[in-house]
Short mmCIF file of all heavy atoms in Angstrom, two decimals:
data_model
loop_
_atom_site.label_atom_id
_atom_site.label_comp_id
_atom_site.label_asym_id
_atom_site.label_seq_id
_atom_site.Cartn_x
_atom_site.Cartn_y
_atom_site.Cartn_z
N ALA A 362 -10.47 -146.43 95.07
CA ALA A 362 -11.27 -145.73 94.10
C ALA A 362 -12.63 -145.38 94.65
O ALA A 362 -13.08 -145.99 95.63
CB ALA A 362 -11.39 -146.52 92.78
N LEU A 363 -13.26 -144.39 94.00
CA LEU A 363 -14.63 -144.01 94.39
C LEU A 363 -15.38 -143.59 93.14
O LEU A 363 -14.76 -143.29 92.10
CB LEU A 363 -14.63 -142.91 95.45
CG LEU A 363 -13.97 -141.55 95.07
CD1 LEU A 363 -14.94 -140.63 94.34
CD2 LEU A 363 -13.46 -140.85 96.31
N LYS A 364 -16.69 -143.48 93.28
CA LYS A 364 -17.53 -143.00 92.18
C LYS A 364 -18.37 -141.83 92.62
O LYS A 364 -18.83 -141.75 93.75
CB LYS A 364 -18.47 -144.15 91.72
CG LYS A 364 -19.34 -143.70 90.55
CD LYS A 364 -20.47 -144.72 90.26
CE LYS A 364 -21.39 -144.19 89.15
NZ LYS A 364 -22.57 -145.05 88.93
N ILE A 365 -18.54 -140.89 91.68
CA ILE A 365 -19.46 -139.77 91.82
C ILE A 365 -20.48 -139.90 90.70
O ILE A 365 -20.11 -139.92 89.52
CB ILE A 365 -18.77 -138.41 91.76
CG1 ILE A 365 -17.73 -138.30 92.85
CG2 ILE A 365 -19.75 -137.27 91.82
CD1 ILE A 365 -16.76 -137.13 92.68
N ASN A 366 -21.75 -140.00 91.01
CA ASN A 366 -22.77 -140.11 90.02
C ASN A 366 -22.75 -138.89 89.08
O ASN A 366 -22.48 -137.77 89.50
CB ASN A 366 -24.14 -140.26 90.61
CG ASN A 366 -24.31 -141.62 91.29
OD1 ASN A 366 -23.71 -142.64 90.93
ND2 ASN A 366 -25.12 -141.65 92.39
N ALA A 367 -23.13 -139.13 87.83
CA ALA A 367 -23.02 -138.05 86.83
C ALA A 367 -23.81 -136.78 87.21
O ALA A 367 -23.35 -135.68 86.96
CB ALA A 367 -23.55 -138.58 85.47
N ASP A 368 -24.97 -136.92 87.87
CA ASP A 368 -25.77 -135.80 88.19
C ASP A 368 -25.27 -135.08 89.44
O ASP A 368 -25.81 -134.08 89.82
CB ASP A 368 -27.26 -136.18 88.34
CG ASP A 368 -27.49 -137.17 89.45
OD1 ASP A 368 -26.48 -137.76 89.99
OD2 ASP A 368 -28.65 -137.41 89.80
N GLU A 369 -24.24 -135.60 90.07
CA GLU A 369 -23.65 -134.97 91.25
C GLU A 369 -22.23 -134.47 91.07
O GLU A 369 -21.53 -134.12 92.03
CB GLU A 369 -23.70 -135.91 92.46
CG GLU A 369 -25.18 -136.18 92.90
CD GLU A 369 -25.33 -136.87 94.21
OE1 GLU A 369 -24.77 -137.98 94.36
OE2 GLU A 369 -25.91 -136.29 95.14
N VAL A 370 -21.81 -134.48 89.83
CA VAL A 370 -20.46 -133.90 89.47
C VAL A 370 -20.66 -132.40 89.28
O VAL A 370 -21.50 -131.97 88.50
CB VAL A 370 -19.87 -134.53 88.21
CG1 VAL A 370 -18.57 -133.87 87.84
CG2 VAL A 370 -19.65 -136.04 88.45
N HIS A 371 -19.87 -131.59 90.00
CA HIS A 371 -19.99 -130.12 89.90
C HIS A 371 -18.64 -129.54 89.48
O HIS A 371 -17.61 -129.78 90.14
CB HIS A 371 -20.41 -129.59 91.25
CG HIS A 371 -20.34 -128.08 91.31
ND1 HIS A 371 -21.30 -127.27 90.71
CD2 HIS A 371 -19.45 -127.21 91.90
CE1 HIS A 371 -21.02 -126.00 90.94
NE2 HIS A 371 -19.92 -125.93 91.65
N TRP A 372 -18.65 -128.80 88.39
CA TRP A 372 -17.42 -128.11 87.96
C TRP A 372 -17.54 -126.60 88.29
O TRP A 372 -18.44 -125.93 87.79
CB TRP A 372 -17.26 -128.29 86.43
CG TRP A 372 -16.77 -129.65 86.08
CD1 TRP A 372 -17.55 -130.73 85.73
CD2 TRP A 372 -15.40 -130.11 86.04
NE1 TRP A 372 -16.78 -131.82 85.47
CE2 TRP A 372 -15.44 -131.47 85.65
CE3 TRP A 372 -14.17 -129.50 86.26
CZ2 TRP A 372 -14.30 -132.23 85.48
CZ3 TRP A 372 -13.06 -130.24 86.10
CH2 TRP A 372 -13.08 -131.58 85.76
N ILE A 373 -16.61 -126.14 89.07
CA ILE A 373 -16.50 -124.68 89.29
C ILE A 373 -16.04 -124.04 87.99
O ILE A 373 -16.56 -123.03 87.58
CB ILE A 373 -15.49 -124.42 90.44
CG1 ILE A 373 -16.01 -125.03 91.73
CG2 ILE A 373 -15.29 -122.89 90.61
CD1 ILE A 373 -14.98 -125.00 92.84
N ARG A 374 -15.04 -124.70 87.36
CA ARG A 374 -14.55 -124.24 86.06
C ARG A 374 -15.31 -125.07 84.99
O ARG A 374 -14.81 -126.08 84.49
CB ARG A 374 -13.04 -124.48 85.96
CG ARG A 374 -12.23 -123.49 86.84
CD ARG A 374 -12.30 -122.09 86.29
NE ARG A 374 -11.80 -122.00 84.90
CZ ARG A 374 -10.56 -121.84 84.57
NH1 ARG A 374 -9.62 -121.71 85.47
NH2 ARG A 374 -10.22 -121.79 83.28
N ARG A 375 -16.47 -124.60 84.62
CA ARG A 375 -17.27 -125.29 83.63
C ARG A 375 -16.60 -125.35 82.26
O ARG A 375 -16.82 -126.26 81.46
CB ARG A 375 -18.65 -124.66 83.51
CG ARG A 375 -19.49 -124.80 84.74
CD ARG A 375 -20.86 -124.10 84.60
NE ARG A 375 -21.65 -124.67 83.50
CZ ARG A 375 -22.34 -125.76 83.58
NH1 ARG A 375 -22.41 -126.43 84.73
NH2 ARG A 375 -23.07 -126.21 82.55
N ASP A 376 -15.69 -124.39 82.02
CA ASP A 376 -14.97 -124.39 80.78
C ASP A 376 -13.92 -125.49 80.69
O ASP A 376 -13.38 -125.77 79.63
CB ASP A 376 -14.25 -123.06 80.54
CG ASP A 376 -13.36 -122.64 81.71
OD1 ASP A 376 -13.77 -122.81 82.90
OD2 ASP A 376 -12.23 -122.19 81.47
N LEU A 377 -13.66 -126.17 81.84
CA LEU A 377 -12.65 -127.26 81.90
C LEU A 377 -13.31 -128.63 82.12
O LEU A 377 -12.63 -129.57 82.48
CB LEU A 377 -11.62 -127.00 82.99
CG LEU A 377 -10.79 -125.72 82.82
CD1 LEU A 377 -9.86 -125.57 84.01
CD2 LEU A 377 -10.01 -125.74 81.52
N ARG A 378 -14.65 -128.70 81.94
CA ARG A 378 -15.32 -129.99 82.19
C ARG A 378 -14.76 -131.08 81.30
O ARG A 378 -14.36 -130.89 80.19
CB ARG A 378 -16.81 -129.82 81.87
CG ARG A 378 -17.59 -129.08 82.92
CD ARG A 378 -19.03 -128.92 82.55
NE ARG A 378 -19.17 -128.05 81.35
CZ ARG A 378 -20.33 -127.75 80.76
NH1 ARG A 378 -21.46 -128.28 81.27
NH2 ARG A 378 -20.36 -126.99 79.72
N MET A 379 -14.76 -132.29 81.90
CA MET A 379 -14.29 -133.47 81.17
C MET A 379 -15.43 -134.11 80.37
O MET A 379 -16.58 -134.09 80.78
CB MET A 379 -13.68 -134.47 82.14
CG MET A 379 -12.43 -133.98 82.83
SD MET A 379 -11.88 -135.08 84.19
CE MET A 379 -11.62 -136.62 83.32
N ALA A 380 -15.09 -134.68 79.27
CA ALA A 380 -16.04 -135.38 78.43
C ALA A 380 -15.95 -136.91 78.67
O ALA A 380 -14.89 -137.40 79.07
CB ALA A 380 -15.77 -135.10 76.96
N PRO A 381 -17.02 -137.65 78.46
CA PRO A 381 -16.97 -139.10 78.66
C PRO A 381 -15.82 -139.74 77.83
O PRO A 381 -15.64 -139.37 76.70
CB PRO A 381 -18.34 -139.57 78.15
CG PRO A 381 -19.25 -138.40 78.42
CD PRO A 381 -18.43 -137.17 78.15
N GLY A 382 -15.08 -140.58 78.52
CA GLY A 382 -13.94 -141.19 77.89
C GLY A 382 -12.67 -140.50 78.19
O GLY A 382 -11.52 -141.01 77.94
N GLU A 383 -12.72 -139.28 78.73
CA GLU A 383 -11.51 -138.52 79.03
C GLU A 383 -10.94 -138.88 80.39
O GLU A 383 -11.67 -139.20 81.35
CB GLU A 383 -11.84 -136.99 79.01
CG GLU A 383 -10.62 -136.12 78.99
CD GLU A 383 -11.00 -134.63 78.79
OE1 GLU A 383 -12.20 -134.34 78.60
OE2 GLU A 383 -10.05 -133.80 78.81
#
Side-chain angles (χ1 to χ4, degrees):
L363 62 85
K364 181 191 176 185
I365 300 169
N366 291 329
D368 61 350
E369 293 192 299
V370 176
H371 172 75
W372 286 91
I373 299 169
R374 288 291 303 273
R375 293 179 60 83
D376 55 315
L377 298 179
R378 284 177 296 179
M379 293 170 61
E383 193 173 357

